[in-house]
Amino acid sequence: MNSPVEHKPSNVEFSDVVTHDSGRKTMTLNMGPQHPSTHGVLRLVLELDGETVVSCRPEIGYLHTGIEKTLESKLYYKALPMTDRMDYMSPMSNNLGYCLAVEKLLDIEDAIPARAKWIRVLMSELTRINSHLVWLGTHAIDLGAMSMFLYTFRDRETLLDIYELVSGQRMMSSYFRIGGLMMDVPKDFDKSIRRILKNLPDRIDEYEDLLTNNRIWQMRTIGVAKISAENAIDGGLTGASLRGSGVKYDVRKAFPYSDYDKFDFQVPVGVHGDVFSRYQVRVYEMRESLKIMGQALDGLPEGPYIAHVPGVILPPKPDVLSKMESLIYHFKIITDGFKVPRGSVYVPIESGKGEIGFYIDSDGTNVPNRVRVRPPSFVNLSALPKMVEGSLVSDVVAAIGSIDIVLGEIDR
Amino acid sequence: MLDFLFGQLVATHATFDVVTLSDRTTQALAEDPWLAAGYALLGLAGVGGFLSLLGMALIYVERKVAAHFQCRLGPMRVGWHGMLQSVADAIKLLLKEDIIPDRADRVLFLIAPVFSIIATTLGLILIPMSPSLQVVDLNIGVIFISAVSSFGVLGILLAGWSSNNKWSLLGAMRAGAQFISYEISVTLSLLVVTLFAGSLQLSEIVQSQQDGWWIWRGHIVGLVAFFVFLIASTAELNRPPFDLPEAESELTGGFHTEYSGLRFSFFFLAEFINMFIASALAATLFLGGWMPFHIGGLHTFNGLMDLIPPGLWFAGKTTFIIFLIMWVRWTFPRLRVDQLMRLEWKFLLPVGFINLFAAATLVITKLYFFPW
């Protein structure tokens, strides 16, 4: 075989059968990148003794998109749609993280109108539910409960309708803008959200009926792929994967952003750190997100939807058509972007998967010098080997489902 | 002609004369060899045609049932409500390239699916669908069915081994362990009915239920045996929640990962026909097979029930159990391999044994309902 790249890891040999010093023989099994339950193109090299996993090593890079690198050559406002494509289950959370980071660099945080902040919160929570619904469906299908997948996707459809309503796009919405929003929410927004707030709790009850008290579901998840709070913290885990182990850390509470401190919600925490705990945490999170959405909708302030910062934020369209300065600003921003003061920021937010942070380093020009994303999926994936060692192949599938990874975010 | 389909019906006190196709052949042989040949041919063509038609029908039903459980419509395009979808799929499978992996053990790889389908066909010929619609009625029917159904696992083991694929191997390994374990529970619950009926012959087991079906004539014992049989046979059928040998989300297809086209369809067909056989067997043993709903002593009521032809009773009961199995499939998550074994050896097996002893006690003391 004449392959240009010799792909050889350092610690595990890629031979079929490994004979250990103790005389024990193990089989190396390649799981993925084309495998129905690795949630994309994750590849795991499993060392098996019978069906027991001796070691597990995740291999990533099969979905390499180079998004971080691409961002370095894009104007700040043009980089935004790229962020949708990382964690494609929660595009709005990614948008929010990026926008907050750029706004912090520009120091225009105080100029963001309250309405924009609240709609951002509302849409972020909608996105969290969206992300969790996809997780629930795929997690259930991994464990063999096939119908759940279609139930959750049926409900996700109504959420995607909201995306379409506000932005015209169902998946890659790019609805948030640096300084605010793309446009104000349309007339039907209130009605549509209220319909979701009315229907979804019953549906979540339905899911719980099917899974939470199901003996087989409990057998498959309780005590499986455990990780202790210390190990979870050491591994840098965030999101439900961390909270499932009993650590109460949520960026929305710890470092409130975008007016999250004005909302009343609970951060659910698990006890055992197993698949079931993580499952319960996420299901509760969906309910809490609905609560936040309700509060945001009830108290939605009136006012502009985007900040007024000449030279950075596009002027309103009527002004562009009637005022010379606005026309010039519009032209300048579209063609040349805007310059961002020298400096670097790190802004974390809580997305559906965990803490997603944007580190942006600016050298004072109109493109970022370096954008580095702290992807929750990537960090959470690093805990997988610890979780599955000593368990069975079936548990590997359960564990992958429970840490809720998305490969688009891992291979940015 | 009607007589052939519905059996000879005596309305006053229901007794059914069982005439199987093999009986007809033997009888005709003395008088008219051509008629005998005709019957034999009918048997062969009937089983072959039934096998493929039933397979396609079950696949269609499965897809429709699944679809409606999942709030969708299922196949709708090919034919009225997608009725011809299975035909289209069958044609596709026939025309597909027959891929044999380079490093596969060729001979074993080629014969493995044949083993599976042969085991299935052998099981099918014994099923009594009505008093006159049964191909062969062996006097060791129950034992025979349980023997040939274990033969099917050989095909799966061979497929997994010969594919030279680790996923297939894992699947086959699971299949071997699982089928052999659950075989015991299936047999234990078969034995309960054998004790009740006092016969291994399927037609006699059906006849023995003319005063009431064993599921309720045998008190709780019959009910327990029915559920043990249902659970264990679902496991033997390799269907969720016990579909570990293929476990799509874990083993990417298990033992049939490397199979495609016609050979894959053999496994697929065998699986669906096996579901029919298991359902038909459950119906025959516990729900009276083609025997109408009778209550011992109530002649008028029994006579009324006899107006519904036995073939329909059989079809109705079998369909009900098939639906049960599908319902379970589209509701439950999958078990893990160690939990599967624990369920069999630590729960079903002791229950089966205790149940068998209870059944023996019932039979000796004649304590079941309507012992006359």
Side-chain angles (χ1 to χ4, degrees):
Chain A
M1 278 253 293
N2 183 20
S3 70
V5 182
E6 188 69 18
H7 199 79
K8 208 149 204 184
S10 51
N11 51 350
V12 179
E13 283 177 54
F14 264 104
S15 59
D16 267 4
V17 176
V18 183
T19 312
H20 293 257
D21 296 336
S22 58
R24 179 159 83 152
K25 279 187 178 175
T26 54
M27 178 172 90
T28 310
L29 184 68
N30 182 40
M31 187 172 182
Q34 273 83 36
H35 186 281
S37 314
T38 50
H39 291 232
V41 284
L42 171 67
R43 175 179 178 219
L44 297 175
V45 180
L46 300 175
E47 194 187 352
L48 296 181
D49 181 6
E51 276 213 37
T52 313
V53 179
V54 177
S55 74
C56 160
R57 211 163 41 77
E59 285 263 311
I60 58 168
Y62 290 93
L63 196 67
H64 183 65
T65 46
I67 285 179
E68 277 183 5
K69 187 72 190 165
T70 314
L71 293 184
E72 289 173 18
S73 56
K74 287 207 174 281
L75 299 177
Y76 277 95
Y77 76 90
K78 282 186 181 174
L80 186 87
M82 300 290 294
T83 60
D84 283 323
R85 282 144 180 87
M86 289 189 309
D87 175 2
Y88 40 84
M89 291 306 141
S90 33
M92 297 230 189
S93 300
N94 302 348
N95 291 168
L96 181 60
Y98 178 76
C99 290
L100 288 175
V102 178
E103 282 158 12
K104 198 168 178 184
L105 262 179
L106 286 166
D107 201 20
I108 58 168
E109 286 160 305
D110 298 333
I112 313 295
R115 188 176 174 81
K117 283 185 184 174
W118 282 54
I119 293 176
R120 280 175 172 188
V121 166
L122 206 163
M123 295 308 289
S124 306
E125 294 308 315
L126 190 85
T127 303
R128 189 183 319 280
I129 298 173
N130 179 3
S131 165
H132 282 358
L133 281 178
V134 175
W135 157 78
L136 185 58
T138 49
H139 188 36
I141 212 173
D142 287 348
L143 296 184
M146 202 131 166
S147 300
M148 276 303 292
F149 181 72
L150 286 121
Y151 298 149
T152 56
F153 266 62
R154 168 192 62 185
D155 293 337
R156 179 177 179 250
E157 205 61 23
T158 58
L159 305 187
L160 292 185
D161 286 345
I162 303 283
Y163 278 20
E164 192 178 354
L165 191 69
V166 295
S167 73
Q169 255 286 6
R170 294 171 65 77
M171 231 169 124
M172 303 303 162
S173 46
S174 297
Y175 178 54
F176 300 164
R177 288 286 184 276
I178 295 160
L181 306 168
M182 179 182 95
M183 57 200 286
D184 209 344
V185 290
K187 264 209 312 280
D188 289 348
F189 183 72
D190 190 86
K191 209 173 67 195
S192 315
I193 295 280
R194 288 205 192 278
R195 199 179 307 132
I196 288 175
L197 291 178
K198 193 167 141 281
N199 291 337
L200 215 50
D202 294 344
R203 294 283 167 80
I204 297 173
D205 288 345
E206 231 171 71
Y207 303 152
E208 289 223 75
D209 282 348
L210 264 173
L211 297 179
T212 311
N213 295 321
N214 184 323
R215 281 287 297 275
I216 302 179
W217 181 262
Q218 292 180 352
M219 277 157 72
R220 284 301 304 275
T221 53
I222 292 179
V224 171
K226 271 190 162 180
I227 188 154
S228 65
E230 293 79 45
N231 280 336
I233 294 172
D234 288 349
L237 264 60
T238 47
S241 308
L242 175 71
R243 290 191 288 273
S245 298
V247 183
K248 195 164 184 170
Y249 172 72
D250 186 317
V251 186
R252 291 174 295 175
K253 287 276 189 199
F255 308 102
Y257 54 89
S258 197
D259 278 359
Y260 260 111
D261 44 354
K262 293 184 181 153
F263 293 90
D264 171 36
F265 63 99
Q266 301 293 317
V267 177
V269 175
V271 181
H272 305 293
D274 54 5
V275 176
F276 192 67
S277 293
R278 296 192 274 273
Y279 157 79
Q280 279 190 312
V281 165
R282 289 205 180 90
V283 172
Y284 273 97
E285 266 182 25
M286 284 201 265
R287 298 185 194 279
E288 289 301 316
S289 290
L290 284 171
K291 231 166 83 184
I292 300 175
M293 279 168 65
Q295 292 171 22
L297 198 60
D298 290 338
L300 196 61
E302 293 297 323
Y305 60 87
I306 194 159
H308 178 67
V309 186
V312 174
I313 312 291
L314 285 177
K317 196 68 181 175
D319 287 0
V320 176
L321 296 177
S322 57
K323 289 181 185 155
M324 197 59 199
E325 297 80 15
S326 296
L327 181 65
I328 293 169
Y329 274 138
H330 187 273
F331 180 75
K332 277 286 284 178
I333 294 171
I334 292 291
T335 52
D336 210 21
F338 46 83
K339 289 203 166 54
V340 172
R342 194 178 280 273
S344 56
V345 291
Y346 173 78
V347 177
I349 66 154
E350 185 79 19
S351 89
K353 315 267 187 254
E355 173 183 331
I356 181 166
F358 281 81
Y359 168 82
I360 302 181
D361 182 52
S362 165
D363 52 5
T365 59
N366 55 2
V367 291
N369 181 36
R370 171 82 169 101
V371 179
R372 152 80 188 158
V373 183
R374 180 213 184 271
S377 298
F378 177 73
V379 181
N380 290 354
L381 178 65
S382 67
L384 185 68
K386 202 159 215 106
M387 286 178 181
V388 301
E389 266 159 33
S391 56
L392 298 166
V393 177
S394 313
D395 295 337
V396 176
V397 172
I400 298 174
S402 77
I403 53 174
D404 191 17
I405 51 168
V406 55
L407 267 292
E409 192 180 65
I410 292 175
D411 298 336
R412 303 141 337 271
Chain B
M1 190 58 212
L2 271 179
D3 167 60
F4 178 72
L5 277 178
F6 299 145
Q8 287 143 2
L9 193 127
V10 187
T12 45
H13 187 73
T15 50
F16 295 89
D17 291 330
V18 175
V19 187
T20 64
L21 263 179
S22 64
D23 290 344
R24 287 177 199 269
T25 318
T26 338
Q27 277 166 18
L29 201 58
E31 300 149 22
D32 185 356
W34 286 111
L35 187 61
Y39 275 130
L41 203 68
L42 184 68
L44 282 175
V47 169
F50 188 69
L51 195 78
S52 40
L53 278 182
L54 184 70
M56 289 200 280
L58 281 176
I59 290 166
Y60 174 74
V61 170
E62 171 100 71
R63 295 179 69 170
K64 276 293 186 191
V65 168
H68 284 94
F69 269 114
Q70 298 170 342
C71 317
R72 37 184 195 101
L73 292 172
M76 288 297 281
R77 296 298 177 88
V78 193
W80 184 77
H81 277 247
M83 294 285 268
L84 298 177
Q85 183 66 51
S86 293
V87 180
D89 287 348
I91 293 172
K92 184 205 75 175
L93 282 170
L94 285 174
L95 297 179
K96 267 184 102 166
E97 189 189 351
D98 183 22
I99 300 169
I100 303 171
D102 265 355
R103 291 202 189 161
D105 188 330
R106 263 189 89 87
V107 179
L108 295 185
F109 189 82
L110 294 185
I111 59 171
V114 183
F115 272 35
S116 271
I117 203 91
I118 285 180
T120 303
T121 320
L122 285 178
L124 191 64
I125 58 173
L126 252 78
I127 301 295
M129 302 188 200
S130 89
S132 44
L133 199 62
Q134 185 178 5
V135 182
V136 190
D137 190 20
L138 293 178
N139 55 1
I140 52 155
V142 172
I143 300 275
F144 183 81
I145 285 201
S146 118
V148 292
S149 71
S150 349
F151 183 60
V153 70
L154 196 59
I156 290 177
L157 278 174
L158 282 184
W161 175 257
S162 64
S163 298
N164 203 358
N165 175 321
K166 289 171 190 167
W167 296 107
S168 304
L169 184 65
L170 277 178
M173 204 169 70
R174 288 178 175 189
Q178 173 179 337
F179 290 6
I180 289 167
S181 311
Y182 278 83
E183 191 78 30
I184 304 171
S185 279
V186 169
T187 315
L188 281 179
S189 43
L190 290 181
L191 283 179
V192 168
V193 176
T194 312
L195 277 180
F196 282 151
S199 169
L200 289 168
Q201 199 168 347
L202 285 172
S203 65
E204 276 189 26
I205 290 177
V206 176
Q207 296 276 30
S208 74
Q209 302 182 66
Q210 64 172 325
D211 288 330
W213 304 342
W214 287 122
I215 190 171
W216 60 280
R217 260 188 95 186
H219 299 281
I220 294 182
V221 176
L223 204 62
V224 170
F226 176 70
F227 280 113
V228 170
F229 181 83
L230 209 61
I231 296 171
S233 61
T234 311
E236 266 212 81
L237 289 172
N238 180 13
R239 283 178 67 85
F242 307 107
D243 64 333
L244 288 108
E246 39 183 287
E248 197 196 330
S249 57
E250 292 162 21
L251 303 184
T252 65
F255 63 89
H256 61 59
T257 305
E258 296 288 355
Y259 281 88
S260 63
L262 194 59
R263 282 174 215 289
F264 166 73
S265 73
F266 272 13
F267 281 121
F268 205 57
L269 196 63
E271 206 177 302
F272 274 87
I273 303 294
N274 280 339
M275 176 168 71
F276 170 78
I277 293 176
S279 309
L281 209 57
T284 305
L285 297 171
F286 298 98
L287 303 181
W290 45 256
M291 186 62 75
F293 181 70
H294 283 177
I295 298 173
L298 300 182
H299 294 303
T300 324
F301 176 77
N302 295 348
L304 273 176
M305 285 293 148
D306 286 345
L307 290 179
I308 302 170
L312 280 188
W313 279 104
F314 172 80
K317 293 167 188 174
T318 311
T319 314
F320 170 69
I321 295 175
I322 288 179
F323 178 73
L324 265 188
I325 295 178
M326 288 183 179
W327 186 358
V328 167
R329 169 169 184 175
W330 298 110
T331 309
F332 283 139
R334 186 185 303 115
L335 282 153
R336 208 170 56 198
V337 66
D338 57 326
Q339 291 160 350
L340 186 85
M341 289 295 140
R342 206 174 303 144
L343 175 70
E344 163 62 19
W345 294 101
K346 291 196 175 167
F347 179 72
L348 284 185
L349 194 68
V351 166
F353 269 118
I354 293 167
N355 202 38
L356 187 63
F357 281 119
T361 325
L362 282 187
V363 172
I364 291 169
T365 53
K366 294 213 175 220
L367 257 176
Y368 45 80
F369 294 134
F370 314 118
W372 48 85

